[in-house]
């Protein structure tokens, strides 16, 4: 005698997109910042990659706009547990910016206008996985979302996608950034739920 009634399928499971563990779906774009929103005049904006030998590679806003751009559509996941799917950006790939940079560094410390920093392995910025993004959903990137330009590293929690980005320091050591020094995870993979140190 069978113990399962024919046709029984159990409780219905909610259908929908797969999200990283602990995340919920949002349709809006929450604004979260570690400090006040810096206002950077476009004629004074610059992005600087500094190698481990202190060599600097600089781009003005005009220089950045002259570079080839991509329009990635990606999912983003915030450590505060919201996820927004299918977001479309425009920006310059870090592969393009790093193409003439000679480095043996393993890590990057990202700097923002306003003093924010975050650390990443350099490999996570390459191979089509990171951009300096300046447009979102067809519009110029608003200051509250990191405009005029922010780092976009969508495969990691969104605090790694530094708003108001102004430069990257290439390093041999993995120096913790702002949130990492306060106990957040050094890497921040949402699919492994790496929110805090020890996760």
């Amino acid at each position: 005698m069978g113990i399962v009634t024919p046709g029984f399928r159990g409780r219905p499971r909610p259908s929908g997109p797969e999200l990283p563990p602990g995340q919920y779906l949002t349709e809006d774009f929450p604004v979260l910042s570690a400090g006040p929103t810096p206002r950077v005049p476009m004629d004074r904006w610059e992005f600087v990659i500094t190698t481990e030998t202190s060599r600097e590679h600089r781009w003005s806003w005009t220089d950045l706009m002259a570079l080839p751009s991509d329009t990635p559509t990606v999912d983003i996941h915030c450590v505060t547990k919201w996820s927004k799917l299918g977001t479309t950006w425009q920006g310059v790939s870090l592969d393009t910016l790093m193409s003439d940079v000679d480095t043996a560094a393993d890590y990057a410390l990202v700097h923002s206008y306003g003093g924010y920093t975050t650390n990443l392995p350099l490999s996570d910025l390459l191979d089509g996985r990171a951009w300096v993004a300046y447009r979102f959903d067809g519009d110029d990137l608003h200051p509250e979302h990191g405009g005029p330009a922010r780092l976009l590293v969508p495969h990691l929690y969104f605090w790694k996608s530094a708003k108001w980005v102004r430069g990257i320091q290439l390093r041999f050591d993995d120096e913790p950034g702002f949130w990492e020094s306060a106990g957040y995870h050094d890497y921040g993979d949402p699919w492994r739920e790496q929110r805090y140190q020890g996760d």
Side-chain angles (χ1 to χ4, degrees), residues 72-174:
T73 297
V74 296
D75 302 336
I76 54 177
H77 309 288
C78 183
V79 72
T80 61
K81 300 192 175 183
W82 60 261
S83 290
K84 186 172 176 63
L85 306 184
T87 63
T88 300
W89 305 77
Q90 183 177 349
V92 177
S93 170
L94 262 292
D95 295 309
T96 298
L97 294 165
M98 289 288 296
S99 63
D100 291 327
V101 176
D102 185 21
T103 183
D106 295 315
Y107 298 99
L109 186 63
V110 180
H111 294 264
S112 296
Y113 290 97
Y116 179 82
T117 57
T118 191
N119 56 299
L120 305 95
L122 180 57
S123 59
D124 282 273
L125 298 177
L126 303 175
D127 296 325
R129 300 204 291 167
W131 298 264
V132 173
Y134 49 82
R135 291 177 69 80
F136 171 74
D137 202 19
D139 294 320
D140 290 343
L141 187 59
H142 295 171
E144 63 267 23
H145 291 305
R150 75 177 297 156
L151 189 65
L152 177 63
V153 191
H155 66 282
L156 300 178
Y157 279 125
F158 212 42
W159 91 79
K160 296 290 186 177
S161 294
K163 294 180 176 182
W164 316 299
V165 68
R166 69 174 177 86
I168 296 175
Q169 179 187 11
L170 303 177
R171 305 176 58 92
F172 290 121
D173 62 320
D174 191 13

Side-chain angles (χ1 to χ4, degrees), residues 33-100:
S33 300
T37 299
R39 306 289 175 169
V40 184
M42 306 306 276
D43 61 348
R44 291 175 50 200
W45 184 94
E46 68 175 357
F47 181 77
V48 182
I49 295 176
T50 305
T51 71
E52 67 277 15
T53 62
S54 300
R55 183 174 178 195
E56 294 184 340
H57 302 259
R58 295 179 176 270
W59 294 265
S60 67
W61 187 258
T62 301
D63 295 334
L64 188 74
M65 293 299 102
L67 294 173
S69 67
D70 299 333
T71 53
T73 297
V74 296
D75 302 336
I76 54 177
H77 309 288
C78 183
V79 72
T80 61
K81 300 192 175 183
W82 60 261
S83 290
K84 186 172 176 63
L85 306 184
T87 63
T88 300
W89 305 77
Q90 183 177 349
V92 177
S93 170
L94 262 292
D95 295 309
T96 298
L97 294 165
M98 289 288 296
S99 63
D100 291 327

